Amino acid sequence: MKNLKIARELKITSELARAPDIFVIDFVNAILEDAFFLRASDIHLHPSEESIRIRFRVDGMLCDISTFSHNIFSKVVLRLKIISNLRTDEQKTPQDGRFRYSLENTSFDVRISFVSTHYGESVVLRLLKNTLGDNTLSGLGFLASDEENILREIKRQNGMILMTGPTGSGKTTTLYTLVRLLNRKENSIITIEDPIEYALAGIKQIQTQPRVGLTFANGLRSILRQDPDIIMVGEIRDNETAQIAINTALTGHLLLSTLHTVDCATAIPRFLDMGIEPFLVASTLRLVIAQRLVRKICVHCKVARPMSMAEKETLHNLYGHDLQNAFYGIGCENCAHSGYNGRVVVNEILVVDDLIRDAIVARLSAVQIKNIAMNNGMVSLVVDGLRKVEMGLTTIEEIFRCLHD
């Protein structure tokens, strides 16, 4: 990632200039405010032998912001543990907490994690900006044909809809968007999550608590006695949760969840590996959505460029896809001279029709299922990414970075 060139001086810099008379409360506030200003999703305070490195994750990419001394860091850790209601005398055991931070015109939740390392506690903060009200499927990056498939399937009264992808691929945001679309007065919606990332009005949200036995599986059993129409399970992690989820989807409930697989087709053998009978998977699974997040080109400095012959040949040989022009951001103050501003979904959608059901029952491999789906019109992750390159939403370099093996 290009180095960020900030239009104004960071508050972190001005606070560090006050050392050794730095006021730790102001310094912690400066870190949070600068992260918000730069649209960071995460803050990393990374200890090394010489110093502590501040890193922000902006549009999915980590970038170095500043460094400061261990002497100040001990006070920063203490301050963060106090506002997160965590034990200040515990430095070896991992701790997770949460607090709410207010700026002049907004406020947001911050999830925080402390883990002991060789040079001190590593601290990572996740900024949970509650902007779900602005999210639509098209706003996230789903094209009209994909949005049509999703909206048709979520109107059904039973079955299972799965989101797949690696950590950080935006599964939870898409899942929350679907739940928000389903949140009507005639529906009773209950979620069980770990953690609850966004509060949704009119929906019963349950936080897992393994220490008291409230796991996804046990919570799902309890939810069924609450007369729900729609259930969202944060993640299907084990055989027990998978079995209960399948049974729930069979008995007149619409169930939405996530699964860690690389693409749509791989989700099916994953269920079979968990001991679920193929006919049960075929009977309940309605739709699988796989996605990644790629950086969006900054609209303020976007320019077109012709594809070279070598690039054209490579794309044609790898994907059978022809592309005449691509776009990139030259860098401006609006994107901190990175050329990118925000992120967009690249996705593939597997609709479980009769052909796919027959393939599931026959225990065909993920590769075979994917080939059947693509012959039947499914657009792969890479091809969807290349469509978004043609539309000027992202760059060919981003597609290769995120999707090409």
Side-chain angles (χ1 to χ4, degrees):
M1 183 178 185
K2 298 176 185 177
N3 290 329
L4 295 177
K5 299 176 182 177
I6 315 302
R8 65 159 173 84
E9 183 184 45
L10 291 176
K11 290 189 175 182
I12 291 172
T13 305
S14 58
E15 286 298 323
L16 287 173
R18 295 168 55 184
D21 300 320
I22 193 166
F23 188 39
V24 69
I25 293 177
D26 289 344
F27 183 51
V28 169
N29 289 344
I31 293 172
L32 290 164
E33 289 176 31
D34 285 344
F36 186 85
F37 168 72
L38 290 173
R39 301 178 291 102
S41 60
D42 300 87
I43 302 167
H44 289 236
L45 304 180
H46 176 71
S48 62
E49 185 176 6
E50 298 83 15
S51 62
I52 311 301
R53 187 163 45 150
I54 303 174
R55 308 176 81 193
F56 289 171
R57 188 177 294 279
V58 180
D59 294 335
M61 303 289 284
L62 272 176
C63 50
D64 290 339
I65 299 298
S66 187
T67 60
F68 63 100
S69 69
H70 278 271
N71 186 42
I72 300 171
F73 186 50
S74 60
K75 300 173 185 176
V76 169
V77 168
L78 182 63
R79 170 65 181 165
L80 289 171
K81 286 184 178 179
I82 289 171
I83 62 177
S84 305
N85 293 315
L86 298 175
R87 289 185 57 179
T88 58
D89 60 340
E90 182 57 72
Q91 297 178 350
K92 298 299 181 184
T93 304
Q95 294 192 77
D96 296 318
R98 193 182 184 111
F99 62 90
R100 189 159 188 81
Y101 188 76
S102 297
L103 293 172
E104 288 183 6
N105 300 316
T106 188
S107 61
F108 53 90
D109 288 331
V110 180
R111 198 171 74 229
I112 188 165
S113 169
F114 296 86
V115 175
S116 178
T117 69
H118 184 60
Y119 293 112
E121 288 184 273
S122 171
V123 185
V124 176
L125 301 93
R126 166 68 57 90
L127 278 60
L128 302 170
K129 303 163 193 169
N130 199 357
T131 56
L132 286 174
D134 303 327
N135 282 348
T136 60
L137 290 172
S138 58
L140 292 175
F142 289 92
L143 300 184
S145 58
D146 295 330
E147 185 175 5
E148 183 182 339
N149 283 329
I150 294 170
L151 293 177
R152 183 183 65 248
E153 295 302 324
I154 66 173
K155 288 177 183 176
R156 298 183 184 274
Q157 294 183 342
N158 57 61
M160 180 184 296
I161 293 173
L162 283 180
M163 289 293 314
T164 74
T167 301
S169 59
K171 300 189 298 298
T172 301
T173 300
T174 302
L175 205 55
Y176 271 107
T177 301
L178 297 183
V179 169
R180 192 174 57 79
L181 290 171
L182 290 164
N183 189 15
R184 299 186 297 270
K185 61 182 180 181
E186 63 268 23
N187 288 331
S188 171
I189 304 177
I190 305 179
T191 75
I192 180 161
E193 308 169 55
D194 181 26
I196 296 171
E197 294 203 8
Y198 301 100
L200 299 175
I203 292 174
K204 302 172 189 174
Q205 294 176 269
I206 301 168
Q207 166 78 53
T208 62
Q209 299 181 58
R211 290 182 181 177
V212 296
L214 183 54
T215 61
F216 280 122
N218 291 335
L220 195 44
R221 288 192 187 94
S222 300
I223 284 172
L224 291 173
R225 294 190 284 273
Q226 289 281 310
D227 187 31
D229 299 299
I230 298 162
I231 299 170
M232 184 187 101
V233 180
E235 184 183 347
I236 295 175
R237 296 177 178 173
D238 52 49
N239 300 25
E240 186 181 14
T241 307
Q243 188 69 59
I244 301 169
I246 288 283
N247 290 337
T248 300
L250 275 173
T251 54
H253 303 88
L254 180 65
L255 187 134
L256 297 85
S257 190
T258 68
L259 197 66
H260 279 284
T261 61
V262 294
D263 60 14
C264 289
T266 313
I268 292 166
R270 176 78 187 277
F271 265 108
L272 303 185
D273 290 342
M274 289 180 176
I276 309 299
E277 290 294 333
F279 75 91
L280 290 175
V281 178
S283 301
T284 55
L285 197 57
R286 302 285 188 196
L287 191 77
V288 186
I289 305 168
Q291 69 175 57
R292 304 288 189 277
L293 290 176
V294 296
R295 290 181 291 171
K296 280 179 73 173
I297 301 171
C298 175
V299 296
H300 300 282
C301 60
K302 179 170 69 176
V303 295
R305 70 169 179 85
M307 299 284 288
S308 68
M309 285 304 298
E311 287 175 322
K312 290 178 182 178
E313 289 176 8
T314 300
L315 285 176
H316 186 81
N317 292 336
L318 284 174
Y319 309 117
H321 198 89
D322 297 317
L323 198 62
Q324 298 303 316
N325 291 297
F327 298 83
Y328 73 102
I330 59 176
C332 65
E333 288 189 357
N334 293 285
C335 60
H337 295 273
S338 68
Y340 297 97
N341 194 329
R343 289 191 287 177
V344 65
V345 163
V346 169
N347 64 275
E348 67 181 23
I349 294 181
L350 174 64
V351 178
V352 182
D353 56 17
D354 289 340
L355 287 173
I356 299 299
R357 290 189 190 97
D358 291 342
I360 295 170
V361 173
R363 291 182 177 268
L364 296 188
S365 69
V367 173
Q368 291 170 307
I369 291 171
K370 185 169 186 174
N371 287 337
I372 292 170
M374 291 183 68
N375 290 335
N376 206 26
M378 185 182 84
V379 175
S380 70
L381 280 163
V382 171
V383 173
D384 185 65
L386 294 174
R387 290 193 300 187
K388 283 158 186 171
V389 171
E390 286 182 297
M391 294 167 66
L393 293 174
T394 190
T395 63
I396 191 70
E397 291 81 8
E398 272 295 281
I399 300 304
F400 281 129
R401 181 182 70 84
C402 293
L403 297 175
H404 184 62
D405 186 358

